[in-house]
Amino acid sequence: DSGVTQTPKHLITATGQRVTLRCSPRSGDLSVYWYQQSLDQGLQFLIQYYNGEERAKGNILERFSAQQFPDLHSELNLSSLELGDSALYFCASSVELGYSEAFFGQGTRLTVV
Amino acid sequence: AQTVTQSQPEMSVQEAETVTLSCTYDTSESDYYLFWYKQPPSRQMILVIRQEAYKQQNATENRFSVNFQKAAKSFSLKISDSQLGDAAMYFCAYRSAYLDSNYQLIWGAGTKLIIKP
């Protein structure tokens, strides 16, 4: 158990819908990362938060947004869902910005039908 | 931009034997970290081993060791005494160590490791 908790584990929804994925980082970790793992594009960095502030953006679509709350949990919001958004979404956390090791949650498997 | 390449989509090895997974990367940076992650069927992304670029000594973790060749930009993973539980996807990943970077992990495409009993 990495200490990073992601909910839900599985999500099935229809095209055009909106979903929220939740991540609770390890106790004491200030930095949260979101990654998308899809069959055609592999693992891609989406966005990073540090202590409540957005720190960096990767290949995140405009339909997607995220935030980190004062208690440090993070949510990834995906809207106007398309079939191609079906993927495994990972959250990872680390103690500090520059700390080399990030711990991953078990991921949320999103299926858009 | 940095890239990570894993040229072996799939590898198989007999139980108790040794297998080496290849990874090459491209970067203009001199300070970075390299990782091998394991993703079993449970989907959990598990850190196997980490190498700091400034360290010449190759990292080892029990049956797992790396061959880090900085000049050649090569970072291979050797698994000794392979066990059935080692069967998984293995991902090589790169992360910048510079303070002005975003610290994202840049991933290879993965190698599926099959262990034959």
Side-chain angles (χ1 to χ4, degrees), chain A residues 35 48 97 99 104 106, chain B residues 39 44 50 95 102-103 105:
Chain A
Y35 290 87
Q48 179 201 5
L97 270 179
Y99 198 69
F104 282 76
Q106 287 199 304
Chain B
Q39 187 179 35
Q44 177 79 50
R50 175 184 68 202
R95 210 214 79 180
N102 61 20
Y103 302 120
L105 287 165

Side-chain angles (χ1 to χ4, degrees), chain A residues 12-78:
Chain A
I12 301 174
T13 190
T15 54
Q17 295 299 305
R18 171 189 167 94
V19 297
T20 297
L21 312 184
R22 182 187 169 100
C23 169
S24 294
R26 291 188 321 154
S27 177
D29 283 2
L30 300 177
S31 196
V32 170
Y33 305 77
W34 286 97
Y35 290 87
Q36 178 195 58
Q37 184 178 27
S38 62
L39 284 175
D40 57 345
Q41 296 194 24
L43 277 151
Q44 291 194 91
F45 167 71
L46 295 178
I47 198 164
Q48 179 201 5
Y49 279 82
Y50 177 74
N51 203 19
E53 299 291 327
E54 181 183 303
R55 176 70 172 74
K57 269 186 174 180
N59 298 321
I60 187 166
L61 300 171
E62 286 191 9
R63 301 183 284 107
F64 296 180
S65 64
Q67 54 185 326
Q68 186 179 28
F69 295 86
D71 66 352
L72 300 178
H73 91 271
S74 178
E75 292 180 358
L76 179 66
N77 301 295
L78 315 177

Side-chain angles (χ1 to χ4, degrees), chain B residues 25-107:
Chain B
Y25 58 95
D26 189 29
T27 184
S28 59
E29 297 177 333
S30 59
D31 198 10
Y32 49 86
Y33 299 94
L34 294 165
F35 305 87
W36 279 99
Y37 280 88
K38 169 185 176 180
Q39 187 179 35
S42 66
R43 309 175 326 197
Q44 177 79 50
M45 199 65 79
I46 302 165
L47 178 65
V48 175
I49 201 164
R50 175 184 68 202
Q51 175 78 43
E52 291 87 344
Y54 66 86
K55 289 186 178 179
Q56 292 187 338
Q57 187 172 7
N58 289 323
T60 62
E61 286 288 341
N62 301 314
R63 297 182 295 107
F64 298 87
S65 62
V66 299
N67 183 5
F68 173 50
Q69 302 288 330
K70 191 172 184 179
K73 295 180 183 174
S74 171
F75 183 60
S76 61
L77 175 70
K78 186 171 84 171
I79 306 174
S80 304
D81 185 25
S82 299
Q83 300 175 2
L84 294 177
D86 295 333
M89 282 291 290
Y90 285 81
F91 292 94
C92 178
Y94 170 102
R95 210 214 79 180
S96 172
Y98 288 94
L99 287 176
D100 61 352
S101 75
N102 61 20
Y103 302 120
Q104 65 165 294
L105 287 165
I106 297 168
W107 301 84

